[in-house]
Amino acid sequence: MKILVCISNVPDTTAKISFSADNTTFNAAGVQFIINPYDEWFALVRALELKEAQGGNVTIIHVGAVESEATIRKGLAIGADDAVRIDAEPNDAFAVAEQIAAYAKDKGFDLILVGKETISYNGSMVGAMLAELMNLPYVSLATKLDVTNSVAKIEHDIDGGIEVLECALPLVISANKGMAEQRIPNMKGIMSARTKPLLVVPPAAADKLTSITSFTLTAGRTDCKYIDAATPEKLIELLHTEAKVI
Amino acid sequence: MSILIYTEIAKGKIKKSSLEAVNYGSRIAAQLNTTATALVVGDAEFSDLGKAGAKKVLKLKNDKLSNLSGLFLTAAIEQAVVAENATIIIFAHDFTGKEVAPRLAAKLKAGIVAGAVDNPTISGDSFSVKKIVFSGKAVATYVINSTQKVISLLPNSFPVELMDGTAEIVDFTVNLDALNSPIKVLEVKKETSELNLTEAELVVSGGRGLKGPENWGMIEELAKELGAATACSRPVADMDWRPHHEHVGQTGFAIRPDLYIAIGISGAIQHLAGVSGSKTIVVINPDKEAPFFKSADYGIVGDAFEIVPKLIAAVKHFKANQN
Ligand SMILES: Cc1cc2nc3c(=O)[nH]c(=O)nc-3n(C[C@H](O)[C@H](O)[C@H](O)COP(=O)(O)OP(=O)(O)OC[C@H]3O[C@@H](n4cnc5c(N)ncnc54)[C@H](O)[C@@H]3O)c2cc1C
Ligand SMILES: Nc1ncnc2c1ncn2[C@@H]1O[C@H](COP(=O)(O)O)[C@@H](O)[C@H]1O
């Protein structure tokens, strides 16, 4: 089975976010970058488990500049066989999907996995776009994935429940919590990652349909109002008269 | 030119997040001197769509749409876009919205903003809209460069407003003969919870501070008295104290209710990522240094096992006085 896992490069969850003085660009200086947790913990690890059980190959693909290569190597250390970096700025979801589709279309992947969403721009878009551009079925927010005889059996989240599906390969799936558990790379993985192939591909033509013009940091809360633990009923009164939420 | 809004039915009624999207679309329509048309699959009481601002309801008709498969739905909506000459297509940023809106956008080569939180700013040809980025830490303004535009609206960004208004209801038969989906639905397992967490206005949430699943009775009772949905932190779902669909935060659901009551939750940044958009936050925790207090509007420093029963009694008392 040939599996492609799309990985994005995002600021660590706990990173302090800041912007340029004119608030038009994200300030990456001093920020620790990681593989997007959904891509790493769920998509990549499940891909590796499937490969280990059934044989095959796991390729990771990333659209981004050379600065992302440390993140890509981490994916190789966790166990991916090889990696592709498409040398383009990932500044529009559709353009990212077009880049990946242009590379993947004639490579015969059986399964293309993305994460539920990037924790940076929180779009949840690239997977569905990729499916449309490659004319493949798409299953969003999968929490379980098994493959037998080229048929995927998937559980995924739907409104108010879970749907169990079956679909012949190939298809695109977005991975949600539940699909696998995080794997910490071991020494052998880290050593071998240095010599695994990382192919750099020039960008294809792509359409940038959106752009970000400015950022603002979310305003924090004003000081918390404390209510004496001896009289918690006061809270209910304040929620009614002051916050007006009940 | 027109504005289309994809809407959904739950329990025989139009969903709240869909009505929010119709309100949103009709405000944009008013600004652009056009009208808002709602799309729907299935039958329900449609009068709320008119009251929310739709002038027309297109009932998408085709047997293949019965399980709202993304492939068929995208094709059906595209046919409506063509028939209605739609320039702006709006979804709720919910399960279907996440599956279908980006697929439709790619089909139309339309720019999309997924998870918008504010009305767009439109001046001449420039169209911009805000969304939350970096898991709640910032807001970004996106400009959509294409003529056709897709927006999915984050649920609970605006209260639903129902006014006087009626919509004309029109059947719209779509042709999906050329499409075959290889996806086969084997089973649908519906959760039994009454309230949809992402749509709930009030949420009571518990964390590891509650010590064990056997202590959730008081959380459920407080929620029930308030008419609130229940939620939990990630370790609580990971340890199977609570079902995974209650888990909020970075790796769980992002919610923005009017009121979020966090009980026995420390307020880790990954938890805040899913709840910091709530309008009012209450934190109950015996540790006065718990980071959550820095993101709270109201705090009680104390033991949940003493405080929650008193809150339940206070809510009962409050309700009795209201009537
Ligand atoms: C990439 C990543 C993603 C993550 N995603 C999420 C996510 O989506 N959601 C999430 O919640 N977490 C997430 N986490 C985990 C997060 O970092 C925290 O570990 C988690 O939120 C802690 O849960 P908690 O507050 O319930 O438990 P704890 O941090 O253990 O806090 C328990 C709290 O209960 C209080 N307490 C103790 N006794 C009582 C009592 N009697 N009454 C009241 N309070 C009491 C304590 O003072 C303490 O503050 C993620 C972590 C990572 C690294
Ligand atoms: N620059 C990128 N390179 C490769 N894959 C990406 C990139 N951006 C997003 N993805 C994939 O698409 C998923 C959804 O991203 P998004 O639509 O941006 O929320 C991510 O979890 C990744 O799997």
Side-chain angles (χ1 to χ4, degrees):
Chain A
M1 193 165 24
K2 274 185 78 175
I3 309 178
L4 183 67
V5 180
C6 305
I7 62 166
S8 45
N9 184 40
V10 298
D12 183 60
T13 338
T14 52
K16 200 166 159 43
I17 300 299
S18 67
F19 303 105
S20 59
D22 61 358
N23 284 317
T24 56
T25 40
F26 174 67
N27 185 1
V31 172
Q32 167 79 33
F33 279 83
I34 58 171
I35 307 179
N36 187 45
Y38 292 101
D39 312 352
E40 178 190 326
W41 304 0
F42 311 132
L44 176 57
V45 176
R46 189 63 195 139
L48 295 172
E49 289 169 356
L50 289 170
K51 174 198 129 170
E52 284 155 8
Q54 316 187 358
N57 186 84
V58 175
T59 301
I60 50 181
I61 190 163
H62 172 71
V63 180
V66 65
E67 290 76 21
S68 311
E69 288 196 358
T71 301
I72 297 174
R73 291 279 174 209
K74 168 108 188 277
L76 293 170
I78 294 169
D81 298 293
D82 47 62
V84 176
R85 178 173 69 81
I86 302 176
D87 194 18
E89 276 301 324
N91 51 15
D92 175 71
F94 184 68
V96 167
E98 280 185 311
Q99 295 293 354
I100 298 174
Y103 174 80
K105 65 174 191 294
D106 53 6
K107 303 287 187 303
F109 290 106
D110 300 296
L111 204 52
I112 300 180
L113 296 177
V114 298
K116 170 193 167 191
E117 63 179 32
T118 48
I119 65 167
S120 47
Y121 294 101
N122 309 102
S124 220
M125 299 185 290
V126 170
M129 290 173 164
L130 199 51
E132 178 61 31
L133 291 169
M134 297 183 69
N135 199 17
L136 289 174
Y138 175 59
V139 176
S140 59
L141 308 175
T143 53
K144 257 194 194 150
L145 166 66
D146 279 299
V147 179
T148 332
N149 300 329
S150 293
V151 175
K153 189 171 172 194
I154 305 156
E155 287 194 15
H156 79 138
D157 288 335
I158 55 165
D159 200 5
I162 292 166
E163 197 173 55
V164 188
L165 304 170
E166 214 174 65
C167 183
L169 304 182
L171 81 160
V172 181
I173 298 173
S174 86
N176 203 356
K177 184 196 163 207
M179 212 181 202
E181 297 286 336
Q182 184 179 14
R183 260 191 203 184
I184 310 293
N186 57 25
M187 206 52 206
K188 190 166 151 261
I190 294 167
M191 297 304 287
S192 67
R194 294 189 194 151
T195 53
K196 283 181 180 171
L198 194 174
L199 179 70
V200 180
V201 178
D207 302 84
K208 187 164 159 23
L209 301 177
T210 62
S211 29
I212 295 181
T213 51
S214 70
F215 292 97
T216 31
L217 284 172
T218 311
R221 306 257 157 185
T222 48
D223 286 347
C224 176
K225 188 175 229 173
Y226 287 94
I227 291 139
D228 192 334
T231 55
E233 55 281 359
K234 187 92 180 108
L235 171 70
I236 304 302
E237 193 185 309
L238 288 169
L239 291 178
H240 180 60
T241 56
E242 193 176 80
K244 299 190 168 46
V245 289
I246 60 171
Chain B
M1 166 188 174
S2 73
I3 314 283
L4 290 190
I5 305 106
Y6 171 75
T7 67
E8 268 181 8
I9 301 166
K11 300 186 187 108
K13 284 170 61 181
I14 302 294
K15 278 196 215 163
K16 182 171 155 247
S17 53
S18 293
L19 293 175
E20 292 166 6
V22 174
N23 275 166
Y24 187 80
S26 66
R27 282 195 296 270
I28 300 174
Q31 209 181 332
L32 295 177
N33 275 319
T34 177
T35 56
T37 298
L39 306 178
V40 66
V41 179
D43 270 303
E45 176 50 50
F46 290 138
S47 59
D48 279 355
L49 289 173
K51 289 183 187 153
K55 290 281 175 282
K56 185 154 85 173
V57 175
L58 288 188
K59 282 174 68 177
L60 302 177
K61 297 232 152 185
N62 190 302
D63 289 346
K64 284 183 171 168
L65 294 173
S66 60
N67 65 8
L68 299 184
S69 139
L71 186 71
F72 295 141
L73 202 50
T74 309
I77 297 171
E78 191 204 13
Q79 290 176 25
V81 167
V82 173
E84 293 289 308
N85 186 21
T87 43
I88 301 175
I89 306 100
I90 294 166
F91 292 80
H93 191 56
D94 58 7
F95 289 93
T96 311
K98 286 179 190 175
E99 183 162 338
V100 176
R103 186 154 199 156
L104 179 75
K107 201 185 251 311
L108 299 171
K109 266 203 185 188
I112 171 174
V113 173
V117 292
D118 206 352
N119 293 313
T121 305
I122 307 168
S123 87
D125 281 342
S126 138
F127 188 103
S128 65
V129 61
K130 291 191 165 91
K131 83 174 228 87
I132 292 172
V133 292
F134 298 108
S135 304
K137 291 181 199 169
V139 173
T141 303
Y142 281 77
V143 170
I144 304 182
N145 305 321
S146 53
T147 316
Q148 281 178 317
K149 300 167 178 74
V150 177
I151 303 175
S152 66
L153 179 66
L154 202 65
N156 277 355
S157 295
F158 295 97
V160 172
E161 281 179 44
L162 297 180
M163 298 147 285
D164 286 337
T166 47
E168 170 199 7
I169 297 171
V170 183
D171 282 351
F172 185 79
T173 303
V174 291
N175 181 346
L176 304 173
D177 294 351
L179 284 179
N180 278 307
S181 173
I183 298 178
K184 211 162 79 199
V185 178
L186 302 179
E187 193 188 342
V188 177
K189 305 179 199 165
K190 285 275 178 184
E191 307 292 353
T192 48
S193 61
E194 288 282 303
L195 274 163
N196 177 330
L197 179 58
T198 46
E199 288 194 351
E201 278 154 18
L202 311 176
V203 174
V204 179
S205 186
R208 195 146 55 179
L210 290 165
K211 322 271 190 252
E214 66 283 4
N215 296 325
W216 246 264
M218 63 179 188
I219 300 295
E220 287 180 334
E221 192 179 351
L222 179 61
K224 183 163 160 275
E225 288 301 329
L226 284 167
T230 49
C232 68
S233 68
R234 174 165 148 196
V236 164
D238 284 351
M239 292 181 294
D240 282 331
W241 293 1
R242 299 296 293 175
H244 115 98
H245 67 262
E246 279 197 4
H247 156 202
V248 291
Q250 180 96 77
T251 40
F253 286 108
I255 58 171
R256 42 188 0 229
D258 290 343
L259 174 63
Y260 183 73
I261 305 185
I263 304 173
I265 303 175
S266 57
I269 193 151
Q270 299 89 356
H271 185 84
L272 294 176
V275 303
S276 60
S278 308
K279 274 154 221 127
T280 299
I281 294 181
V282 174
V283 171
I284 302 171
N285 195 312
D287 173 10
K288 68 174 188 338
E289 305 295 335
F292 220 147
F293 285 117
K294 291 201 182 67
S295 302
D297 300 288
Y298 298 99
I300 304 182
V301 179
D303 180 349
F305 296 95
E306 286 167 24
I307 289 162
V308 176
K310 287 188 191 165
L311 286 179
I312 294 169
V315 176
K316 284 185 176 158
H317 183 73
F318 167 76
K319 285 189 350 198
N321 283 351
Q322 290 293 100
N323 298 327

